[in-house]
Amino acid sequence: MWGGRFSDKPAELMQAINVSIGFDRRLAAQDLEGSRAHAAMLQKTGVITSEDAAAILGGLATIAAEMDAGSFPFREEYEDIHMNVEARLRELIGPAAGRLHTARSRNDQVALDLRMWVREACDRTHAQIRALQKALIAKAEPNAATLMPGFTHLQPAQPVTFGHHLMAYVEMFGRDASRFADARTRMNESPLGAAALAGSPFPIDRQMTAHALRFDRPTANSLDSVADRDFALEALAAAGITAIHLSRLAEEIVIWMTPQFGFIRLTDAFTTGSSIMPQKKNPDAAELVRAKAGRMLGSFTQLAVVMKGLPLTYSKDMQEDKVPTFEAFDALELSLRAMAGMIADLEPVPERMAAAAGAGFSTATDLADWLVRELALPFRDAHHITGAAVKRAEQLGCDLPALPLAELQALEPRINDGVYKVLTPQASVASRMSYGGTAPDQVRAQIERWKEILA
């Protein structure tokens, strides 16, 4: 393709390190769409003739059909997807193919292709996050009042409901979806027409190609257009945060599945066995979702390191932008689908959850709140008395609801038997009526709010 300057072929090792068709062939659909838009614009602005434009568009249609049929001859000697398409176009229509590259460069071409691919990946991911949120809501709704322990430091803290716990992830994934939507808005500018780096002397219409390719506008600086990959970095950052949330939920599924917890059951659809221990039922899908977070976070780091030291504008280093981007979104989309499947599949074990909800003095804060509310004690004094009550219950080998009234009155004489009404997990949960709290009515209100958002 650049034979006028070069008289010999590249060395075999140069070809091995330089060729990218093995992975950038995934940009074929975007490359063809961008080329069609570019050809139509060149024809309308008079840069190429109608006859050449018709030949080019016909040839591109043939190439698209070959790719759909799996018969397109991808060849490493043409290095990348752009050169493969151009070489095949020349075979199909002859010299007119050479006019397609007028007023563009591979620099703005690849920036366009990858931006379109990432934009589509953001759309797919956004939809998959919404599907996961709907699965969580569907599981939370019948469990809005199902008791379970809430934890801090993985120690029993206060009773909550399973529905409330699941809705916490609906909130997290909602923010993830908004990050992808925000990133998509910022990336929705077309770099096509920036050419190699300085723009074009031809009377091109960048607004026309931007509109044809569903961009809001063309990019405003030709150097920036080909030099940066922050659109991919931002999408990968959003993917990494989503992966963290997926990993945290996966970790909880793994914990809840252990016999020591026994909070949930998964069917055979999302578990595996052991080659040696016949009793095993392993939550491997959750473990793999947890592990894939490393791949997604690594992809962001990989691309950030590639970009961090590059002067303007394009350097061949940027060929390394595609593999981490492709790998991250492949892993993310699979993880989102797997998690939505697991959430739909899992069933809580309410009796195990309820038993755990009342263990570990989980209603101690309710005792302190009662002392403040009923006896007008300062909270710090109530906290101290409650701590002493917990210590005494430990000494007697009982939980707070079973601590005799006389023991409580030895700590604060004004305590009466009305205190026992707040010391059950059910009462504790029902009392948390503040906005966003775990009271079942509050949980149901949040479920309805999210149903309206997702509708």
Side-chain angles (χ1 to χ4, degrees):
M1 291 295 176
W2 44 82
R5 175 65 176 87
F6 288 75
S7 58
D8 204 354
K9 292 182 178 180
E12 186 176 339
L13 279 174
M14 178 61 193
Q15 181 74 357
I17 196 172
N18 192 47
V19 67
S20 61
I21 189 61
F23 52 83
D24 68 17
R25 62 195 297 169
R26 290 184 66 167
L27 299 175
Q30 292 77 20
D31 199 73
L32 290 171
E33 186 177 4
S35 292
R36 285 192 292 267
H38 188 64
M41 181 275 295
L42 293 178
Q43 185 271 323
K44 185 175 181 181
T45 56
V47 175
I48 65 174
T49 67
S50 297
E51 292 76 15
D52 283 341
I56 289 169
L57 292 171
L60 292 174
T62 299
I63 291 171
E66 290 177 344
M67 289 182 174
D68 289 342
S71 61
F72 181 83
F74 291 103
R75 288 172 284 190
E76 288 194 354
E77 61 265 32
Y78 292 123
E79 188 179 313
D80 58 28
I81 185 60
H82 323 297
M83 293 298 199
N84 266 265
V85 169
E86 184 173 335
R88 181 60 178 150
L89 188 62
R90 181 174 289 270
E91 291 173 354
L92 291 170
I93 69 171
R99 301 191 186 280
L100 175 59
H101 209 55
T102 308
R104 76 173 181 183
S105 162
R106 283 193 302 172
N107 292 359
D108 62 338
Q109 196 176 354
V110 69
L112 172 72
D113 292 358
L114 185 60
R115 194 176 290 239
M116 291 174 65
W117 192 96
V118 174
R119 183 178 65 179
E120 293 166 16
C122 286
D123 289 343
R124 291 193 305 271
T125 300
H126 189 277
Q128 289 165 348
I129 291 173
R130 291 310 197 203
L132 173 54
Q133 287 181 287
K134 290 177 181 178
L136 286 162
I137 290 168
K139 193 64 63 172
E141 190 164 21
N143 289 288
T146 301
L147 290 174
M148 72 171 289
F151 297 94
T152 63
H153 310 277
L154 205 57
Q155 300 294 315
Q158 293 177 279
V160 296
T161 74
F162 189 48
H164 191 53
H165 195 108
L166 294 177
M167 290 303 294
Y169 285 101
V170 173
E171 295 289 339
M172 293 183 204
F173 291 123
R175 293 191 295 275
D176 292 329
S178 71
R179 272 184 280 272
F180 283 105
D182 290 345
R184 191 198 191 284
T185 297
R186 270 182 291 280
M187 75 177 64
N188 206 35
E189 297 181 343
S190 171
L192 186 59
L197 76 163
S200 173
F202 293 94
I204 61 173
D205 185 347
R206 295 189 65 208
Q207 294 285 352
M208 178 182 172
T209 51
H211 178 74
L213 296 170
R214 301 173 304 286
F215 287 100
D216 294 329
R217 63 191 69 85
T219 51
N221 183 284
S222 61
L223 297 171
D224 174 57
S225 302
V226 302
D228 210 351
R229 293 295 184 267
D230 59 351
F231 65 89
L233 282 167
E234 186 173 8
L236 289 175
I241 297 171
T242 306
I244 291 170
H245 291 152
L246 286 167
S247 182
R248 295 182 72 181
L249 180 51
E251 169 71 3
E252 299 214 271
I253 290 173
V254 171
I255 291 172
W256 294 341
M257 275 281 290
T258 63
Q260 291 79 6
F261 275 73
F263 285 2
I264 63 168
R265 299 187 184 97
L266 284 172
T267 71
D268 296 352
F270 287 94
T271 55
T272 65
S274 165
S275 63
I276 188 173
M277 296 170 285
Q279 83 281 9
K280 295 295 292 298
K281 195 169 189 180
N282 300 319
D284 282 4
E287 292 171 5
L288 288 166
V289 168
R290 184 175 61 186
K292 287 183 185 298
R295 180 174 300 193
M296 289 173 252
L297 292 167
S299 292
F300 172 83
T301 301
Q302 183 178 344
L303 182 53
V305 171
V306 167
M307 295 301 301
K308 70 172 184 62
L310 299 184
L312 298 183
T313 54
Y314 182 83
S315 296
K316 194 68 174 207
D317 310 50
M318 292 163 70
Q319 182 168 289
E320 293 297 314
D321 57 359
K322 298 165 197 64
V323 171
T325 303
F326 295 156
E327 287 186 347
F329 277 97
D330 287 348
L332 179 58
E333 292 177 34
L334 179 58
S335 296
L336 285 166
R337 292 197 303 271
M339 183 58 73
M342 279 186 284
I343 294 300
D345 184 72
L346 71 81
E347 289 299 330
V349 184
E351 60 274 18
R352 291 295 298 266
M353 288 184 170
F361 310 104
S362 66
T363 58
T365 304
D366 297 278
L367 172 55
D369 289 342
W370 186 90
L371 293 171
V372 170
R373 190 170 57 250
E374 299 297 327
L375 305 184
L377 288 175
F379 183 80
R380 282 300 164 208
D381 293 347
H383 186 283
H384 181 80
I385 292 169
T386 301
V390 169
K391 183 176 181 180
R392 184 57 180 153
E394 278 186 319
Q395 291 170 344
L396 296 177
C398 65
D399 213 331
L400 281 177
L403 189 64
L405 181 61
E407 296 287 348
L408 290 170
Q409 290 175 334
L411 301 172
E412 167 49 63
R414 291 179 292 165
I415 295 176
N416 58 62
D417 58 5
V419 72
Y420 292 105
K421 294 180 181 179
V422 304
L423 294 184
T424 65
Q426 291 87 348
S428 175
V429 163
S431 72
R432 307 294 166 177
M433 283 294 297
S434 57
Y435 181 81
T438 194
D441 285 347
Q442 280 295 319
V443 175
R444 294 184 185 103
Q446 294 303 323
I447 288 172
E448 291 306 311
R449 178 177 73 89
W450 270 106
K451 281 184 176 180
E452 291 179 9
I453 292 171
L454 297 179

